[in-house]
Amino acid sequence: MKKILLAASEGNPFIKTGGLADVVGALPKYLNSKKFDVCVMLPKYLCISSSDRKKMSHVTELYADMPRGREYIGIDKAKLEGITYYFIDNEHYFAGDVPYNQIFEDVNKFAFYSRAVLASLKELNYCPDIIHCHDWQAALIPVFLKEFYGKDPFFENTKTVMTIHNQKFQGRWRIDDIENCRDLPADCRYKAMEAYKETNFLKAGILYADRVTTVSETYAEEIKFPEGGEGLEGVMREVSGKLSGIVNGIDYEEYNPMTDSMLAEPFGLRNITKKKKNKEMLQKELGLKQDSKAMLLGIVSRLTEQKGFDLVNYIMEEMLCTLNVQVAVLGTGEDRFQNSFRYFQDKYQGQLSATIGYSEELAHKIYGGADAFLMPSQFEPCGLSQLISMRYGTVPIVRETGGLKDTVEAYNEIWQTGTGFSFANYDAKEMLKIIGYAYDVFQNHPKEWRLMMKRCMKEDHSWQNSAKKYENLYQELVG
Ligand code: ADP
Ligand code: GLC
């Protein structure tokens, strides 16, 4: 039995801001429990809901010497669906209403977290065969492991995997200002950890980890070039021998249209017509016109530039004025996008609804009730929303980038194949054209549209396949 520890800054169901939490919450459940004993270690944020905090019990605590002095590390534990979750407690670092604050606080916070993970493992006498680190927040674990515990027999056989969920976020700050890294050797701080005269947590993790993965095969290629590399393309090319892409799955228990209690009317392949009821109820709940003929476009997303909202803004008026399209948006993020959706909602009452906020329930209702799902990302390491929408027979309209390219097959009207609509260039007019094409199929070729919905629902994007690829990777590392 090999011991695997997942280290990350968020994980379902305890704390989530995006797809990372979905991955960390689902992957452990799908790894073969006869071969792998999997634990997860997360920060115990004060913003974790009180009902989730009640599931935790205190295990032990310790104090560790760090550059700022002796730091408290509490260790809590919870067991969920057979998986053990450990929580690193420190009310100073993990305070606040949200997991991430200002980047300056965050770099020290997650340097602390990474140190605390290793110190806790020793305290718990729990030695993983592999520490699987996710994103820049956990990227210093391979660094501290080598620099501080390199000669410690306890961790002698521990290997590390670094998974990049989004190369844009790297954990960068002025080198000399990051207190919790100050005791690392100068050679490490000013060379391996340095990029463009700043500390770069992600770069350090990539260099120090035994293996590096990212969340789709296309993205694993894109990050080797300036367009997708976010400045680290040279590093990615240097480590290409240990880099691979493993596409994410989605949790088929959580996202199951046949058993989803958040839907007005559960449905499946055999009674796909019941999806209509979900559209009707969604229109009603959101104050959209009760019009079964309108094509209802769903958007559930972080409202950031990455997700292509400048394209959406650009064509919104033209789309709403020329096509019988309705839009249901759910998201939070940059003010400019929140405000533009509020503006459109005011101007196009009954045709566009914007819910600025975070709601699991409404997200499920949109995935279940919309006809199509719009995701025109500038870049997309994997993307889960298009996978969820396909599972609910909601046809994705995407840009061909990263994981969107790997998971959505463009509609071919001659062969009657495909699971969505896609466009290549980051261009608003090109996007509108493809929305227009989808609209035409939806309105004028309902039989073909319905076949496409069925193809979407028949796709297998469960974790089963992807978990096997992680298992192979773990096995390659530790036999
Ligand atoms: P990213 O991780 O880049 O934000 P993904 O597509 O990988 O994008 O994952 C996003 C996840 O977060 C999906 O599960 C999506 O449903 C969920 N999500 C995003 N915004 C919201 C929101 N405002 N309310 C509820 N769920 C959301
Ligand atoms: C990141 C990416 C997204 C990916 C998710 C989970 O947030 O932006 O594309 O699906 O991580 O890996």
Side-chain angles (χ1 to χ4, degrees), residues 256-277:
N256 183 352
M258 285 184 290
T259 55
D260 193 332
S261 58
M262 298 183 211
L263 294 186
E265 180 98 39
F267 62 95
L269 263 172
R270 280 205 212 110
N271 52 7
I272 202 168
T273 45
K274 286 195 177 166
K275 186 170 161 63
K276 278 193 195 140
K277 181 81 186 159

Side-chain angles (χ1 to χ4, degrees), residues 297 310-327 343-344 347-348 351-352 427-436 439:
L297 262 186
D310 41 4
L311 300 190
V312 176
N313 271 348
Y314 194 81
I315 57 97
M316 187 59 85
E317 304 238 0
E318 191 177 339
M319 179 177 79
L320 294 179
C321 294
T322 55
L323 305 175
N324 185 16
V325 162
Q326 294 182 346
V327 182
Y343 165 82
F344 291 132
K347 188 160 172 192
Y348 296 95
Q351 198 180 2
L352 183 142
D427 179 295
K429 289 285 174 194
E430 207 175 307
M431 178 178 83
L432 184 58
K433 208 166 141 199
I434 209 74
I435 295 174
Y439 180 80

Side-chain angles (χ1 to χ4, degrees), residues 18-20 23 165-166 215 248 302 306-307 380-384:
L20 168 63
V23 174
H165 294 263
N166 193 331
V215 287
N248 290 328
R302 288 185 290 118
Q306 173 193 340
K307 301 293 179 179
E380 196 60 74
C382 178
L384 301 176

Side-chain angles (χ1 to χ4, degrees), residues 220-476:
E221 286 308 307
E222 288 171 348
I223 53 180
K224 292 181 194 156
F225 298 94
E227 211 183 311
E230 304 286 344
L232 294 185
E233 54 276 8
V235 180
M236 300 324 294
R237 285 202 293 272
E238 197 181 312
V239 302
S240 61
K242 63 174 181 181
L243 167 69
S244 58
I246 301 179
V247 73
N248 290 328
I250 51 167
D251 194 331
Y252 266 36
E253 286 160 30
E254 190 183 344
Y255 299 109
N256 183 352
M258 285 184 290
T259 55
D260 193 332
S261 58
M262 298 183 211
L263 294 186
E265 180 98 39
F267 62 95
L269 263 172
R270 280 205 212 110
N271 52 7
I272 202 168
T273 45
K274 286 195 177 166
K275 186 170 161 63
K276 278 193 195 140
K277 181 81 186 159
N278 291 290
K279 178 173 173 180
E280 246 176 74
M281 297 305 286
L282 183 65
Q283 285 174 323
K284 198 165 171 196
E285 179 175 338
L286 297 178
L288 296 168
K289 199 170 144 209
Q290 296 272 271
D291 176 0
S292 62
K293 293 218 171 69
M295 180 169 93
L296 179 50
L297 262 186
I299 296 177
V300 179
S301 182
R302 288 185 290 118
L303 301 179
T304 63
E305 207 172 322
Q306 173 193 340
K307 301 293 179 179
F309 288 112
D310 41 4
L311 300 190
V312 176
N313 271 348
Y314 194 81
I315 57 97
M316 187 59 85
E317 304 238 0
E318 191 177 339
M319 179 177 79
L320 294 179
C321 294
T322 55
L323 305 175
N324 185 16
V325 162
Q326 294 182 346
V327 182
V329 185
L330 166 65
T332 52
E334 289 177 37
D335 282 342
R336 59 185 172 130
F337 298 128
Q338 301 191 155
N339 291 337
S340 61
F341 280 123
R342 286 190 184 112
Y343 165 82
F344 291 132
Q345 171 171 257
D346 262 9
K347 188 160 172 192
Y348 296 95
Q349 276 177 29
Q351 198 180 2
L352 183 142
S353 145
T355 309
I356 305 303
Y358 191 93
S359 160
E360 279 303 333
E361 188 170 334
L362 183 57
H364 280 243
K365 288 179 177 167
I366 293 178
Y367 289 123
D371 296 303
F373 190 88
L374 183 60
M375 199 166 170
S377 307
Q378 208 173 58
F379 70 94
E380 196 60 74
C382 178
L384 301 176
S385 296
Q386 83 281 13
L387 304 181
I388 305 171
S389 62
M390 284 195 271
R391 176 103 164 114
Y392 286 76
T394 301
V395 177
I397 303 176
V398 303
R399 191 171 94 80
E400 290 155 19
T401 181
L404 296 174
K405 191 171 171 184
D406 292 354
T407 57
V408 177
E409 186 193 335
Y411 176 55
N412 181 319
E413 60 185 28
I414 297 170
W415 298 105
Q416 283 301 312
T417 54
T419 51
F421 294 86
S422 63
F423 62 102
N425 296 305
Y426 194 70
D427 179 295
K429 289 285 174 194
E430 207 175 307
M431 178 178 83
L432 184 58
K433 208 166 141 199
I434 209 74
I435 295 174
Y437 180 34
Y439 180 80
D440 175 61
V441 179
F442 177 80
Q443 296 296 3
N444 303 321
H445 306 277
K447 214 172 104 205
E448 283 78 3
W449 184 271
R450 187 184 287 214
L451 287 172
M452 182 144 45
M453 288 167 66
K454 288 191 170 169
R455 284 195 295 277
C456 287
M457 293 176 79
K458 280 185 193 154
E459 286 274 298
D460 183 1
H461 292 288
S462 63
W463 263 104
Q464 242 88 23
N465 299 330
S466 312
K468 283 222 169 58
K469 293 187 181 154
Y470 280 109
E471 287 177 2
N472 292 342
L473 175 93
Y474 296 156
Q475 246 143 6
E476 273 169 43

